[in-house]
């Protein structure tokens, strides 16, 4: 079968006679994984939505709240690596269900009175359990689709990260205003348990996750296994890691500090903030799906993976970084809000196609491990960014000045990371080198 005629869902090349799953089955799993990422990011953003009331009830300083936000990332890298390693050893049905159950457990204490120490412990556990979420979701998605078909479903799954805060911000803000700041955590705890039960009975790996010789999106047949050091040392993986790490600063700050920035830095009310904070996530979700469609169309026309995935993702991040610099320099108004939305959304819009590019140079059996390591490394930016911004706000002459300085630094960092990534990445080149060497 020619590359252009490859089916959307194919059976393994191992010679087994397993029935080919239907497209409907694959699409249903993608829908579940989309919800997985949606809940994942709703869990992340809820602490920011409740931040003002939480700070008041517990008597926290801005630096202490920055510590709370940063604590989410303390064990995220550990969880990401562990989850990635388990991907090849534990069935996805049970691995993802276990992660989702831990999410619910970590949220449960927040439904009632809580102290500063327990609050930190809950965020650490949530970060550990959510660390491998992106790697696991994308690896399972890739197990259901042929290489040239992965860009769109991966982008849809990753778009759940945008829809989570998009839905959660206004909905959970309404719940909080209607009841108290504890109520949104109850809602998310119940939603997490409901997803776990659905996944256990309906989810699982696809047929391509166990393929021995893997056809990459770069058009090269990859060996069954390649030493992890060789995979992590490819310029493509390094370049994408740089892109992920720098752009994740923007994502982490958006999740942790954006609601407070809108209220304290720009003077919006709690209700207005709950609505406005959803705009960047709405734009991100829309862009992620559109980017997946465009990248898939480019691949069908024979465009290289370097252009259709790597350079495309780097360009999106670069524009997002420039927009972040722009809104940091402007005063409150429509122009600033527009640049804020563009900056906060485009930095993550290329994540789906960037993860697809990783699969172009990584054998099927090793994707979970490599993606876990990549997520672990770039998530370190999530530890640093909230602390840096919290320190800048605390030491500045005004909250607005501190926020502006912090976002300016982050915007410049994202632009530099995008440029470095564009120079390094080339899946066709690196897949051919790996195939020839191993």
């Amino acid at each position: 079968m020619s590359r252009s005629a490859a089916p959307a869902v194919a059976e393994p090349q191992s010679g087994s006679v397993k029935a080919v799953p239907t497209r409907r089955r694959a699409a249903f799993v993608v829908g579940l994984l989309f919800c997985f990422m949606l809940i994942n990011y709703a869990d992340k953003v809820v602490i920011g939505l409740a931040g003002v009331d939480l700070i008041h009830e517990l008597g926290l300083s801005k630096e202490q709240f920055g510590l709370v936000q940063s604590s989410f990332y303390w064990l995220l890298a550990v969880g990401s690596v562990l989850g990635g390693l388990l991907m090849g050893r534990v069935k996805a049905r049970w691995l993802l269900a276990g992660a989702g159950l831990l999410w619910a457990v970590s949220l449960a204490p927040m439904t009632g009175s809580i102290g500063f120490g327990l609050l930190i412990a809950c965020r650490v556990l949530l970060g550990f359990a959510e660390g491998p979420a992106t790697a696991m979701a994308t690896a399972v998605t890739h197990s259901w689709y042929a290489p040239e078909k992965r860009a769109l479903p991966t982008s849809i799954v990753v778009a759940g990260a945008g829809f989570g805060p998009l839905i959660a911000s206004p909905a959970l803000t309404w719940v909080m205003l209607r009841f108290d700041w504890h109520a949104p955590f109850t809602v998310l705890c119940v939603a997490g348990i409901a997803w776990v039960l659905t996944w256990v009975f309906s989810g699982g790996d696809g047929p391509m996750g166990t393929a021995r010789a893997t056809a990459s999106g770069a058009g090269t047949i990859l060996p069954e296994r390649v030493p992890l050091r060789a995979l992590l040392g490819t310029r493509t993986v390094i370049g994408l890691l740089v892109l992920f790490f720098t752009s994740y600063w923007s994502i982490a700050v958006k999740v942790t500090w954006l609601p407070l920035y809108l209220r304290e830095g720009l003077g919006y009310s709690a209700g207005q903030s709950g609505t406005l904070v959803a705009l960047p996530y709405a734009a991100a979700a829309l862009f992620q799906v559109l980017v997946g469609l465009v990248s898939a169309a480019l691949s069908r026309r024979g465009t290289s993976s370097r252009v259709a995935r790597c350079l495309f993702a780097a360009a999106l991040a670069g524009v997002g970084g420039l927009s972040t610099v722009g809104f940091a320099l402007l005063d409150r108004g429509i122009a600033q809000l527009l640049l804020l939305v563009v900056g906060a959304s485009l930095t993550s819009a290329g994540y789906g196609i960037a993860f697809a590019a990783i699969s172009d140079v990584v054998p099927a059996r090793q994707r979970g491990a490599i993606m876990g390591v990549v997520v672990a490394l770039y998530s370190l930016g999530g530890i640093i960014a909230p602390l840096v911004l919290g320190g800048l706000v605390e030491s500045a002459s005004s909250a607005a000045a501190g926020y502006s300085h912090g976002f300016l630094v982050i915007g410049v960092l994202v632009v530099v990371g995008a440029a470095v990534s564009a120079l390094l990445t080339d899946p066709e080149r690196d897949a051919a080198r790996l195939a020839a060497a191993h």
Side-chain angles (χ1 to χ4, degrees), residues 177-410:
L177 294 176
R178 178 69 176 79
F179 299 98
D180 57 29
W181 72 265
H182 302 280
F185 293 91
T186 303
V187 172
L188 291 176
C189 187
V190 172
I193 293 173
W195 184 90
V196 168
L197 293 174
T198 305
W199 176 257
V200 166
F201 289 104
S202 306
D205 287 303
M208 300 195 70
T210 56
R212 292 184 179 277
T214 309
S216 77
T220 301
I221 301 299
L222 295 170
E224 182 179 356
R225 286 191 177 275
V226 174
L228 292 180
R229 181 177 179 181
L231 291 173
L232 293 171
T234 64
R235 294 178 67 186
T236 293
V237 172
I238 293 173
L240 292 172
L241 178 58
V242 170
L243 181 70
F244 284 132
F245 176 78
T246 53
S247 62
Y248 200 70
W249 276 58
S250 175
I251 295 170
V253 166
K254 178 176 67 176
V255 170
T256 56
W257 282 102
L258 184 57
L260 274 74
Y261 171 56
L262 290 171
R263 291 183 65 175
E264 297 184 339
L266 299 181
Y268 292 104
S269 68
Q272 290 173 323
S273 176
T275 300
L276 291 175
V277 78
L279 294 179
Y281 293 105
L286 175 62
F287 285 141
Q288 282 160 351
V289 175
L290 290 177
V291 166
L293 287 169
V294 173
S295 179
L298 290 173
S299 295
R300 286 195 299 270
R301 294 183 180 183
T303 306
S304 68
S305 178
R306 169 172 166 75
V307 174
R309 295 175 180 175
C310 298
L311 295 185
F312 193 8
L316 291 166
V319 174
L322 290 174
S323 299
T324 300
V325 171
F327 86 70
L329 296 175
L330 294 178
D331 293 326
R332 171 176 165 171
I334 297 299
Q336 192 225 29
L337 188 60
L338 178 62
L339 287 177
L340 187 154
V341 171
V342 172
S345 59
L346 284 188
T347 50
S348 61
Y351 266 42
I353 58 175
F355 273 111
I358 290 179
S359 284
D360 287 343
V361 296
V362 178
R365 293 176 181 271
Q366 296 176 282
R367 286 180 196 138
I370 294 299
M371 289 182 182
V373 171
V374 168
V375 173
L377 293 175
Y378 78 63
S379 69
L380 296 177
I383 298 177
I384 304 169
L387 288 175
V388 169
L389 190 59
L392 289 172
V393 172
E394 191 76 21
S395 61
S397 57
S398 67
Y403 283 117
S404 295
H405 187 194
F407 283 118
L408 180 63
V409 170
I410 290 170

Side-chain angles (χ1 to χ4, degrees), residues 16 69 79 111 120 122 124 127 141 144 203 206 222 334 347 389 391 419 425 438:
S16 68
Q69 297 286 40
T111 62
I120 292 286
C122 288
V124 171
T141 301
W144 283 94
L222 295 170
I334 297 299
T347 50
L389 190 59
T425 51
H438 303 90

Side-chain angles (χ1 to χ4, degrees), residues 7-22 25-26 29 139-146 150 204-214 364-365 367:
V9 182
E11 65 180 325
Q13 302 176 26
S14 59
S16 68
V17 292
K18 293 180 180 179
V20 178
T22 63
R25 168 67 170 158
V29 172
V140 174
T141 301
H142 294 177
S143 76
W144 283 94
Y145 289 87
R150 288 179 187 140
D205 287 303
M208 300 195 70
T210 56
R212 292 184 179 277
T214 309
R365 293 176 181 271
R367 286 180 196 138

Side-chain angles (χ1 to χ4, degrees), residues 93-103 129 196:
R93 173 176 280 109
W94 305 115
L95 192 58
L96 271 69
L101 188 59
L102 283 178
W103 301 355
V196 168

Side-chain angles (χ1 to χ4, degrees), residues 52 105 116 299 320 377 390 421:
V52 172
V105 169
F116 182 66
S299 295
L377 293 175
S421 179

